[in-house]
Amino acid sequence: MIGENCEVLVVGAGPVGLVAGIDLAQRGIDAMVVDMRTSFDPLTVRCNHISSRSMEIFRRLGFADKVRSGGFSDDFPHDVSIRLTTTGQEMGRIKIPGRQARLDGEKGPDSWWPTVEPPHRMNQIFLEPILQKVAEGTKGLRLCFDREVVGLKQQNETVVASINSSDGTARQITCRFLIGCDGGASLTRKQIGARFEGDAVIQRVQSSFIRAPGLTERMLAEPCWAVLNINPRRSGTVYTIDNDDRFLVHNYLRPDEEFETLDRDRNLRIILGVDSDFEYELLRKEDWIGRRLVSDKMAEGRIFLAGDAAHIWVPMGGYGMNAGIADATGLTWLLDSRLKGWGGAAMLDAYAAERLAITRQVSHFAMETAEMMIRNRAAVPPEIEEMTPAGHAARGWYGEQTRELNTPQYCCVGLNYGYYYDKSPIIIYDGEPHPPYSMDQYTPSTVPGCRMAHVTMEDGRSLYDHFGDGYTLVRTKPDAGLGLMGAAGALDVPLAVVDLPPSDLYEHALYLVRPDHHVAWRSQQEPDDPAWVLETVTGRR
């Protein structure tokens, strides 16, 4: 039996686990990421979208540019096209700027967002190698494959993980805290007695990862990132993976259809709009069932869940992976505060109190979106493929309706920035209600619990670029906050200071902002008891 130690053990080296490990190590925490795979395999073509919030996180961690330079070519548009078939007539289009178009100032439904890091379209098979390379180059982070966790035990102030390798080697890793990022079948979730609750089946999708040379040349419409294919015979979505000849094709099953009896080739050809002479290669079957399942708890003692281990829902707009990354970075700074001694016990209570409520809300957004799309596909006008005035009219209104229905899921500003924490033990609320939270609407706010409203600073950098690793005191009065600064020094609470000019949005004199960009406290004046404020937001009370 080989014994090893670390401060935080992360189980699972997918995007969520890698980001957790990178963040911890950059904070100076002795972290280890283990994965049961014997080697890194980025073939899985799951997530196609990296959210703006994830890009902001990658920016803080120092590799957003590496991510944004990956994937498609500079001039490739990130549009979503609505067509009868992939090679058929276009009925509508959601115009989303690509990488170079954003730099050139092209406008789109997500180009007005208050951030310096807009979303990025890139498949997970390109993202994971970037994350792995960053992880391998991060000082203090150990990344270990061929390590399967087979048991967990909490004892005293540690967690002991039993690990097996394919060569028969057994290990025990003793850590202070453990994060389970081990997917939907999570052993970590089972070990803490948590269980999934929700809806086991929302939709079933026969998904095929294919190589199809010549498919792009057959398309009648301009290039695009995704094609929503809708006709009376078959509905599906096609995502281009490399703006060349690899595609991911989703075939949406009807309620009376089963995976076992569905002819994959026949239906794929209907979606693509090609006949039996067209040749393609099936690289991998990626069939999946859309669910809405949320763990009934996200933590037990020193063990925490993040990503698919804590929630599974219909994989739309990359919500699953991106929510998992938000889980991870919503936890890492809390663990950092405890390990460095400036955070109290309530810091760890905050993780489940904050993230579980948001997880449930997002799961409903994803389910409602999926159900809306199912209803829309069931309402395809029978004459939509006719080359008649009635067919032309049907394509016009149905294409516009589909564009309006789908824009919120692909350009979901509310989902990126609008969520807030309203029952956290480490946030001091002031009675002002939070702005409404929806998928596609966002009102910038400084209400405690909200993401601190973004602004681009005079130096051209993001407000968030000026934040510290701990709390940040944002002031609109340069001489304010001396009491808080003194109390932070006395309590050993890391506190950076940023000055902003007052405005209609930044009307308070003082804001305490957390490393995850959420407002913890604000006031028009100096607090009567600065120590009480800091002790509350650091979980010491």
Side-chain angles (χ1 to χ4, degrees):
M1 176 80 67
I2 298 174
E4 297 177 281
N5 297 276
C6 63
E7 289 183 300
V8 181
L9 177 63
V10 180
V11 182
V16 177
L18 290 172
V19 170
I22 293 165
D23 195 1
L24 288 164
Q26 286 194 8
R27 294 175 180 278
I29 302 300
D30 177 21
M32 180 185 297
V33 179
V34 297
D35 196 284
M36 65 188 300
R37 292 173 291 176
T38 55
S39 62
F40 184 71
D41 176 13
L43 182 60
T44 302
V45 284
R46 292 181 180 173
C47 183
N48 277 293
H49 174 76
I50 304 168
S51 73
S52 175
R53 278 287 254 177
S54 292
M55 290 303 300
E56 289 180 345
I57 290 167
F58 296 164
R59 182 185 183 91
R60 175 173 62 79
L61 296 175
F63 58 87
D65 288 346
K66 293 179 181 178
V67 173
R68 199 170 294 282
S69 65
F72 302 124
S73 58
D74 285 350
D75 59 351
F76 190 76
H78 294 177
D79 296 358
V80 177
S81 176
I82 303 158
R83 305 177 190 171
L84 293 172
T85 66
T86 304
T87 58
Q89 187 171 354
E90 183 171 82
M91 298 182 284
R93 179 173 286 246
I94 304 170
K95 295 282 291 182
I96 303 174
R99 185 162 53 231
Q100 186 59 49
R102 288 193 189 279
L103 293 175
D104 295 341
E106 181 178 313
K107 299 300 181 182
D110 62 2
S111 59
W112 64 270
W113 293 4
T115 183
V116 295
E117 292 291 350
H120 183 57
R121 270 75 186 177
M122 180 171 73
N123 193 269
Q124 191 168 326
I125 63 172
F126 301 116
L127 174 64
E128 286 198 53
I130 294 172
L131 293 177
Q132 187 195 13
K133 188 172 182 180
V134 172
E136 290 172 339
T138 300
K139 182 179 179 181
L141 177 61
R142 286 172 279 172
L143 179 58
C144 305
F145 289 96
D146 196 15
R147 303 287 192 273
E148 181 181 5
V149 177
V150 295
L152 299 175
K153 183 179 180 181
Q154 298 196 62
Q155 55 186 39
N156 300 323
E157 295 187 353
T158 63
V159 180
V160 179
S162 298
I163 310 281
N164 287 344
S165 296
S166 60
D167 62 2
T169 302
R171 291 175 171 80
Q172 270 196 349
I173 301 177
T174 303
C175 57
R176 296 279 303 281
F177 299 102
L178 183 143
I179 310 175
C181 306
D182 45 346
S186 171
L187 174 75
T188 307
R189 184 181 64 251
K190 298 169 185 174
Q191 289 282 295
I192 66 172
R195 61 187 180 87
F196 274 147
E197 298 176 336
D199 300 284
V201 180
I202 296 174
Q203 67 180 115
R204 290 167 296 166
V205 179
Q206 187 184 65
S207 190
S208 306
F209 181 31
I210 66 171
R211 177 177 287 110
L215 181 62
T216 299
E217 287 74 19
R218 289 182 177 227
M219 296 185 192
L220 301 178
E222 293 295 315
C224 62
W225 164 64
V227 182
L228 307 184
N229 304 270
I230 306 173
N231 60 64
R233 294 161 293 129
R234 201 79 241 169
S235 293
T237 301
V238 175
Y239 291 101
T240 182
I241 302 302
D242 55 8
N243 61 267
D244 189 5
D245 61 4
R246 288 188 294 174
F247 302 86
L248 181 63
V249 184
H250 293 330
N251 171 28
Y252 301 110
L253 274 65
R254 300 186 180 102
D256 61 342
E257 293 179 327
E258 300 292 339
F259 284 117
E260 302 79 25
T261 60
L262 209 61
D263 187 325
R264 183 182 300 268
D265 176 72
R266 176 179 178 276
N267 288 290
L268 188 147
R269 291 182 183 279
I270 292 174
I271 291 169
L272 298 182
V274 297
D275 58 26
S276 58
D277 293 334
F278 182 78
E279 295 183 359
Y280 69 88
E281 177 186 1
L282 179 62
L283 300 176
R284 185 161 169 165
K285 297 178 181 178
E286 296 281 0
D287 300 348
W288 49 271
I289 297 176
R291 312 179 188 274
R292 190 194 67 81
L293 299 174
V294 177
S295 179
D296 60 351
K297 59 181 176 180
M298 293 184 70
E300 179 70 39
R302 293 174 173 268
I303 300 176
F304 303 85
L305 303 178
D308 286 355
H311 45 71
I312 298 176
W313 46 63
V314 180
M316 292 189 164
Y319 301 161
M321 182 193 75
N322 291 289
I325 290 171
D327 291 340
T329 54
L331 175 60
T332 48
W333 76 275
L334 299 170
L335 296 178
D336 180 51
S337 76
R338 289 293 285 154
L339 290 166
K340 292 179 180 174
W342 59 269
M347 293 295 263
L348 301 186
D349 296 335
Y351 176 66
E354 295 175 354
R355 292 302 304 170
L356 189 54
I358 297 303
T359 293
R360 287 172 175 155
Q361 180 68 65
V362 174
S363 76
H364 283 287
F365 282 161
M367 180 183 71
E368 290 163 4
T369 299
E371 291 176 338
M372 183 170 58
M373 296 302 107
I374 291 170
R375 291 193 296 271
N376 187 55
R377 289 193 292 268
V380 178
E383 69 275 16
I384 199 167
E385 293 183 289
E386 296 176 2
M387 295 299 113
T388 63
H392 178 76
R395 288 189 293 276
W397 76 258
Y398 189 81
E400 177 61 20
Q401 171 181 288
T402 303
R403 186 190 67 79
E404 291 182 358
L405 287 174
N406 279 273
T407 299
Q409 71 155 312
Y410 290 114
C411 302
C412 44
V413 63
L415 205 63
N416 275 265
Y417 312 136
Y419 64 85
Y420 53 83
Y421 302 136
D422 64 347
K423 294 181 176 64
S424 174
I426 58 171
I427 292 175
I428 301 173
Y429 301 97
D430 58 14
E432 183 173 338
H434 299 96
Y437 175 36
S438 67
M439 182 181 293
D440 60 336
Q441 300 295 319
Y442 170 63
T443 302
S445 176
T446 64
V447 173
C450 291
R451 167 188 184 259
M452 178 69 172
H454 182 264
V455 64
T456 301
M457 305 292 278
E458 291 184 358
D459 60 5
R461 299 167 67 205
S462 164
L463 166 65
Y464 307 144
D465 293 340
H466 296 261
F467 286 1
D469 290 334
Y471 278 89
T472 298
L473 179 63
V474 178
R475 311 184 300 182
T476 58
K477 294 181 180 179
D479 58 344
L482 297 181
L484 284 167
M485 295 163 66
L491 296 169
D492 291 324
V493 176
L495 185 69
V497 179
V498 177
D499 289 324
L500 286 178
S503 66
D504 291 342
L505 186 58
Y506 308 108
E507 59 184 15
H508 287 70
L510 298 167
Y511 303 88
L512 272 178
V513 188
R514 308 175 345 168
D516 62 356
H517 304 167
H518 287 265
V519 180
W521 169 87
R522 65 179 182 175
S523 179
Q524 293 283 14
Q525 59 190 17
E526 297 274 2
D528 295 332
D529 190 346
W532 178 87
V533 171
L534 286 171
E535 287 174 350
T536 301
V537 301
T538 57
R540 301 188 195 187
R541 287 184 174 269

